[in-house]
Amino acid sequence: MGSLGSARVKSHGEAADTWGMKVLPRPVRQLALAMGLSAAVTVALGPPAEAAVLGGIHDGWLPRVLTSAPADADAGRSARFLLVEIDRDLAVTARPGGGRIVGTMPAASRFYRTPAMAWVRRTSADGRYGLVDVPYVAEPRSGWIRLRGLERSWTRVRVIVDLSEHRLTLRRGPDVLLRAPAATGAPASPTPRGPFVVTDRVAFPGGGSLGTYAFGMSGIQPNLPAGWTGGDQLAIHGTNAPSTIGRSASAGCLRVSEAVLARLKPLLRLGTPVVVRA
């Protein structure tokens, strides 16, 4: 597999690559395993005034509790996606300020322990709470977190993945920056649909089954292939099997070319929305 490397993730997703590392630190090895790095198997892995339309999501489209609604991935020029830095584990509740706890918004990613960013899909009427998707769960669900004290920022960049067309589209506002083919999940391990965010940016300078770079995502694969031991975290990454790009061939992840990875690196900050649809 050659020499491997990791990316130390900085604020807002800026990555400082560490090249030529022959032995990965334990967190990086865990992330590599989670994304399916295996020699045996080639894998694919604001304010209250903005509550009505926030991040291109129309208020009436979103349920108040539990079930995640489709994101308006093709929102127009005014779309901004609100991101918040999660500085501590937060309870996600069924209604703003209370109700049943439906999940946890962790302060760091599962394997690389990257500081977490959450995409706030909607704010409550008083602006004190935000609707978020619970990360790393097999059954998509959403709920509310308290926004007080969380650092806020906005992005107009998002990724839209069309599974039926095996296509990845990168947008900034209404503008299409990139359209490219992608390998998606095989029939027995289809790529899960839903809204996710970028959770990790990890370099693999030596290449291998993940190519030279991977963007970890907040989703997991509940339908792993029989005998699979490579972990369940979804990712956008490269591949050493380029002939699979544009086909249903992976364990659930999205495989793209090295040229596409090069286009994505400067634009996909931590927290960038990734909407996967049929």
Side-chain angles (χ1 to χ4, degrees):
M1 291 185 290
S3 298
L4 301 177
S6 67
R8 296 191 302 276
V9 182
K10 298 181 178 179
S11 176
H12 297 157
E14 296 175 354
D17 294 343
T18 301
W19 300 91
M21 297 177 61
K22 295 183 181 298
V23 179
L24 289 173
R26 183 178 179 186
V28 188
R29 293 200 303 270
Q30 290 175 323
L31 180 61
L33 288 174
M35 292 178 181
L37 185 60
S38 167
V41 182
T42 299
V43 301
L45 276 166
E50 295 188 31
V53 180
L54 194 72
I57 310 301
H58 292 273
D59 189 59
W61 290 11
L62 286 173
R64 297 191 65 80
V65 297
L66 298 184
T67 304
S68 298
D72 182 8
D74 296 316
R77 186 171 299 276
S78 62
R80 293 198 305 167
F81 299 83
L82 173 61
L83 309 179
V84 293
E85 295 188 19
I86 307 299
D87 58 5
R88 61 196 180 279
D89 290 355
L90 298 174
V92 182
T93 58
R95 64 175 186 270
R100 184 165 66 92
I101 294 177
V102 299
T104 299
M105 181 61 66
S109 61
R110 293 172 81 198
F111 297 100
Y112 199 46
R113 308 307 297 168
T114 305
M117 300 284 291
W119 171 19
V120 175
R121 306 270 303 280
R122 188 177 111 198
T123 57
S124 58
D126 59 9
R128 296 170 59 195
Y129 300 92
L131 185 70
V132 297
D133 295 290
V134 178
Y136 311 123
V137 292
E139 294 293 332
R141 57 185 184 269
S142 60
W144 300 84
I145 60 172
R146 185 181 179 92
L147 298 178
R148 182 177 180 179
L150 302 182
E151 185 172 338
R152 306 185 188 195
S153 58
W154 284 262
T155 183
R156 298 177 68 217
V157 174
R158 70 273 196 198
V159 174
I160 305 104
V161 178
D162 291 289
L163 298 177
S164 61
E165 300 182 14
H166 300 94
R167 184 181 67 196
L168 180 149
T169 302
L170 178 66
R171 287 180 174 270
R172 181 163 53 204
D175 300 322
V176 174
L177 304 182
L178 171 70
R179 279 197 180 100
T184 61
S189 54
T191 301
R193 290 178 290 172
F196 306 111
V197 299
V198 172
T199 59
D200 301 277
R201 293 167 48 104
V202 182
F204 299 99
S209 58
L210 300 183
T212 62
Y213 212 87
F215 298 93
M217 291 162 53
S218 58
I220 62 172
Q221 170 59 285
N223 300 302
L224 292 169
W228 181 259
T229 60
D232 62 356
Q233 184 175 350
L234 298 176
I236 300 169
H237 61 72
T239 179
N240 60 0
S243 63
T244 64
I245 294 175
R247 298 166 50 196
S248 300
S250 79
C253 286
L254 304 163
R255 303 174 183 172
V256 296
S257 69
E258 289 296 318
V260 171
L261 288 177
R263 294 285 302 277
L264 297 178
K265 284 181 194 178
L267 293 167
L268 297 196
R269 58 181 280 190
L270 299 177
T272 297
V274 180
V275 177
V276 181
R277 62 192 185 188

